[in-house]
Amino acid sequence: MIQATQTEARFAVDVRGLRVELPGGGDIVDDVSFSIRAGEVLGVVGESGSGKTTVGMALLGFARGGARITGGTVHIAGDTSTNMLALDSEKKRLLRGKTVAYVPQDPASALNPSLRIGLQLAEVIEAHEPSTQRAEIERRIEAVMAAVGLPTDKVFLERYPHQLSGGQQQRIGIGMAVILAPKLIVLDEPTTGLDVTTQNKILDVVKKLCREQGIGALHVTHDLSVIANIADQIMVMYSGRVVELGRVETILTDPQHPYTRALLGAVPELRYRTQLTTIPGAAARPANRPSGCFFHPRCPAAEPACKAEPIGFTEVVARHWVRCLNAGSGCGTRPERLPDPAMASGGKPVLDVRALSVSYSNYRVLDGVSFTADRGECLAIVGESGSGKSTLSRALIGLVRQQASTVLFDGTPLAPRARDRSRQQLQAIQYIFQSPHNSLNPRQTVEQLVGLVYDTFHRTDRNRRREAIANVLSQVGLTPETMNVFPDQLSGGERQRVAIARALAADPEILVCDEITSALDVSVRAAIVNLLKELKARRKLTMLFVTHNLALVRNLADRVLVLHKGEVAEIGPVGEVIDRPRHAYTRQLLANALEADLDHRVEAPQPALRA
Amino acid sequence: MSSLPTLHGPTWFLAFREASRYRRTRIGIAVTLLVIALALLGPLIAPYRPDAFVGRPFMPPGGGFLLGTDFRGRDVLSRLLYGGIPVVWMSFAAASIGMVLGVTVGLVAAYSKGWVDEFLMRVMDVFLSIPLIIFVLLFVSLIGTKEWLVVLLVGVAHMPQVARITRGVAADIVEREFVQFAEALSVPRWRILWREILPNITTPLLVEFGIRIVWSIAGIAALSVMGYGIQPPNADWGLMINENRGRIATRPLPVLAPGLCIAIFAFGINMIAEGIAGTISGTSRKSGGEA
Amino acid sequence: MLWRHVIRRSALGVFTLFLISLIIFFATNVLPGDAARAILGRSATPEAVAMLKSQLGMDRPLSVQYLAWMGGILHLDMGMSFISRGPVWDIVAPRLMNTLLLLAATSLVALPVSFVIGTVMAIKPGRLFDNAMNGFLIGTAGIPEFVIAIILVLLLSTQVFHLLPSTALVPPGQSVLENPQVLVLPVLTLTFAVMPYLGRLIRASLMDALASEYVVTARLKGLSPRVVLLRHAMRNSLVPSIQAAALTLAYILGGAVVVEFIFQYPGLGSALQSAVAQRDVFVIQAIVLIFAFGYIAFNMVADILTILMTPRLRS
């Protein structure tokens, strides 16, 4: 078991045997133990449902939605006499916000919309140090605003949350957490939904505050690249259990648990193309977890012993724990490197966009965007939010009325509105939306969903139709039985597969994919990316892949178009643009992406820590 | 993929099935069916004709008159058994008219957006500003008390509220990506409204239908109570209250009995609506694990 | 910024009122049973109808008549009643006062009671009080006002207790204020009629606020339960509650017609009812317009309060 050695540096928090149960019995997390040293950051990684947020909130003695903390101890700041979990609600309240603070996931909904931000900062002090003078409160707010990089003037503090940008809101969230100089802060995916640039700045603020003020931090995230950037230690969670815990360098360079390895292999690299690892199957829900190691049904190295009984921790090297029977056997292989695609150019472009401009009232979203796409290539369209990349893709399928341009498909111009296009044109360009939760009508079965597209372009009898639908489903790796279910009976990854199958049912030439992997977990994303690659090769599809993730572009695209404020900043072969960017904006994007890149962080020389 | 049993059938049917898990829905269905059965079958078992003068006015219960006689010496029980049909059919009809008109307006407004939406909703606001009873009284005073007119007016009076509710719930759906997907496929607009949007708002619309029936019951019965609904000598629960309320102090039954019938009918429908509403907030199926 | 909203909203209200006046006017003039026919009855000869029409100025073009009518209303001159032969305003004004009195009394009872009940339910959801009250409110939600009125009369003034007058008849020459006991039953009836809706809405919006992310944040900031409830939750749940309260007032206005009729309360509703019975067209026009005005005014106030209390709408 993991032991906290008291001789080591002061602990910000020490957690032993934490268990949180669902209202109906069964645990969300169990047997969670770790400690965080003052000034250090522990990154908790896991996919949705792994229990990582539950662990974070439990450090404040809090559980959501009827769940109950039923076991374990949480000692804060070396205070071994006080167990946070055993306190009554008033004593817990006195610690929350003062000794342990919380930074919420989505500041837009976590800040009170009807209170000024100044008040929301001040009330933390008022709640815990009621005798503080007005002037002193103001001084401390000013100090904390400066620390998180926000204006300190009164006018700014008079603002309401909706008058702030997403990044500013999250800085307020961090400010509220650190204003009383707590010993520990819990950050719950604080940068989800923010641009890479903003994300990096926020992470820098957190890192700096923790180091300077000696605050320990627990940082919950599903994004491994965030961890690489900020954490000192990593804790990997799977299905409510810690499967691996250790120093960040150790885990990123030498992961021991098969799940950690798969997870790392599923993350695309920025500087070269890899064969992404995928994990077969799905994580079990708390109600029907397997016996023994919870990961064994999906594990490539599973043995009979893995099923037998729960697995304990092995300390493979000092301060690196793994919950696996094979820990230390070191069968870890790095993902296979692949060469960048060769440029097979020539021939008439299938899509020719000439001076595409889109304006909403007075605001110009796209300004003279021109490019071509060759048959069978994958062109990535990259940009931050607000660059106009979604507008561009929506204009191509005829959902943007306000466009002025010539878009040639196979040499013939396309009407701006889908309703004015010919059936053949509608068929040729298919679109896959970002969110599979929104793009599939929840009231239709998969058969009806795919059938809508099929019927639009084909007229066949019922049997042929069913056959065709089963066929496209099998092409995306779904069984024919999927036809009879509704979308909300499917997982996120399965839904996105249905969305792809639906597009394929039209027999398209061009597939426009709008951020289709951004709502998915890492391993699910890898599977979808591999599927897209396979489909592109097999069906000679031309693909326009809209994304903000440059590593993904490196992994998937042939060429890349960088969009900046509605204009084309740069366009070229993927290797060339990423390795030798010409435009200043591309360089800036890459710098931000590089900072978050796993490899970049890890390949800085580290001593081999393996025993 | 989860092993949930797949439910097939029209969405309104599925909504009812889900709602019937709640006790209040089952109570509502039972009570409503009971009242409807009473209204439909009552005339078959009534001891007297509803307009037959069988005794002295305001006889107490007993002596062959289970509930006594009314202000003109007619059997209260018989009038009660005959008097349910008008309020039952009229309230269903009025609510249906209101739903058809309101849902159409609301859907078109939500889907069209822009000035069409603005215009339709302004028109609805105008209608909404006149309370239901007053709206009906205004026109009844001009044209006369005819059953079809009352039904039509109550139906039209429901329209603006239904349109607002429909537009409210459809506004979210219209923005969803599956609607845009159908748009990009150039699916006919009526089909988008009918097949893509409507099935997604069936449950709140069913709730609204229930609420509209309840309001129709209250409105139509209130008109009868005030003398603007069913006209004498017909039997009608509301009219019975109007006719006999003068002697409520000494002979409460001829007023109380029809009043309770109306209240129980409204209660039943309201419970069904509550049950269906419970499925919206209560137990929406959550998405499962990962692929 | 705020003033622009208020002005815009008011202009919209005035415009709606204008459209309603058009509907009322043309309905009463164009439909088969127009005013003259309504006064003289169905058996009247065409000559008699024509003569009365010219006496009333009804042979002028409709647009002229409308302008004359509207112009009059702006000076509170709503024409003459056919029945009492007096100015409509003289008939309507005291009735309006009585209805406003009923409305005010009902609001004073129904709004605070619903607020307290809804809030207590939301703070301890699933407890005995919440469950019992919720069952009661759901069960009584659909019951029409006149049935509530009948039950209250039977309970409080005839069969069980004899505490209160069963009708609200006021002796001639006296006002309702001099006989406040007549208000009790109508106010109770209307309160029971609106409480299920209002109480449950207040409960639901407070529960929504208490379940929100910002309340979780406030609790994790270590704020005291009192501050979390009053400053964070109730501040946000107040907006839907106020809107519901305004809708309730508008609803009471309509419900008052039936309740006034049942209790023979001398308000606008019963005046409308007797005007309809006697086809007193100008009185009908005036009262319908007043009701519409009331409805629009309540909604406008609710909208403006909403804007005032929601920072996001204010800027």
Side-chain angles (χ1 to χ4, degrees), chain A residues 282 394 438 441 484 491 495, chain B residues 6 176 180 200 287 289-290:
Chain A
R394 293 162 57 87
N438 263 329
N441 191 333
N484 301 319
S491 70
R495 282 187 232 195
Chain B
T6 309
R176 300 275 281 276
Q180 294 173 24
N200 280 290
S287 58
E290 303 306 321

Side-chain angles (χ1 to χ4, degrees), chain C residues 32-53:
Chain C
D34 67 36
R37 220 169 258 290
I39 297 159
L40 295 172
R42 270 159 215 281
S43 54
T45 60
E47 291 78 30
V49 172
M51 206 167 97
L52 182 63
K53 277 192 167 186

Side-chain angles (χ1 to χ4, degrees), chain A residues 308-570:
Chain A
E309 51 192 51
I311 315 286
F313 275 105
T314 314
E315 189 167 10
V316 278
V317 291
R319 304 184 54 76
H320 182 177
W321 292 271
V322 183
R323 197 192 284 273
C324 181
L325 288 178
N326 293 324
S329 66
C331 63
T333 46
R334 304 218 47 133
E336 187 190 340
R337 283 199 195 202
L338 302 172
D340 280 329
M343 283 284 85
S345 105
K348 211 167 58 163
V350 65
L351 192 70
D352 185 354
V353 178
R354 295 176 186 169
L356 175 60
S357 296
V358 175
S359 303
Y360 295 122
S361 57
N362 280 328
Y363 181 63
R364 194 152 251 224
V365 186
L366 287 177
D367 195 2
V369 171
S370 302
F371 64 92
T372 61
D374 291 336
R375 198 174 297 278
E377 80 163 339
C378 175
L379 174 67
I381 296 167
V382 178
E384 292 184 290
S385 56
S387 62
K389 59 185 191 299
S390 269
T391 307
L392 170 58
S393 60
R394 293 162 57 87
L396 293 179
I397 54 156
L399 283 181
V400 180
R401 211 174 301 182
Q402 299 85 341
Q403 54 172 302
S405 67
T406 317
V407 178
L408 298 175
F409 167 73
D410 248 352
T412 51
L414 288 176
R417 278 156 41 102
R419 290 196 186 280
D420 302 327
R421 293 182 183 177
S422 75
R423 220 151 73 119
Q424 190 226 338
Q425 288 172 335
L426 291 172
Q427 180 170 7
I429 307 179
Q430 286 296 312
Y431 193 84
I432 303 168
F433 284 90
Q434 173 171 12
S435 155
H437 299 267
N438 263 329
S439 68
L440 304 178
N441 191 333
R443 294 293 182 182
Q444 295 178 3
T445 61
V446 170
E447 180 178 3
Q448 289 171 309
L449 289 164
V450 180
L452 173 71
V453 177
Y454 185 79
D455 294 341
T456 308
F457 303 115
H458 309 273
R459 228 158 254 286
T460 60
D461 61 65
R462 280 180 66 88
N463 288 337
R464 289 270 307 277
R465 180 179 186 264
R466 277 188 78 87
E467 226 170 85
I469 293 171
N471 181 30
V472 287
L473 288 176
S474 78
Q475 287 188 41
V476 299
L478 294 173
T479 59
E481 290 79 58
T482 316
M483 256 196 251
N484 301 319
V485 305
F486 289 95
D488 59 2
Q489 291 168 287
L490 298 169
S491 70
E494 287 168 333
R495 282 187 232 195
Q496 203 55 293
R497 284 170 195 266
V498 171
I500 296 170
R502 178 169 66 169
L504 295 181
D507 243 327
E509 294 183 46
I510 300 176
L511 212 50
V512 182
C513 307
D514 187 3
E515 298 259 21
I516 66 169
T517 59
S518 66
L520 303 175
D521 265 326
V522 181
S523 67
V524 183
R525 183 176 68 188
I528 295 285
V529 167
N530 285 353
L531 172 67
L532 288 176
K533 281 184 186 169
E534 181 204 323
L535 287 172
K536 175 182 158 248
R538 188 143 49 90
R539 300 189 53 146
K540 300 270 177 294
L541 283 170
T542 308
M543 208 177 281
L544 295 185
F545 192 85
V546 178
T547 183
H548 63 275
N549 185 335
L550 279 166
L552 207 54
V553 168
R554 185 70 184 241
N555 205 284
L556 177 68
D558 298 306
R559 289 195 304 145
V560 52
L561 183 162
V562 181
L563 209 55
H564 178 48
K565 290 184 178 163
E567 293 180 44
V568 178
E570 187 162 355

Side-chain angles (χ1 to χ4, degrees), chain B residues 107-127:
Chain B
L107 270 184
V108 170
Y111 180 63
S112 310
K113 303 175 205 168
W115 69 266
V116 177
D117 178 24
E118 185 77 8
F119 172 77
L120 286 175
M121 285 300 128
R122 280 288 92 80
V123 173
M124 291 301 111
D125 275 353
V126 173
F127 277 97

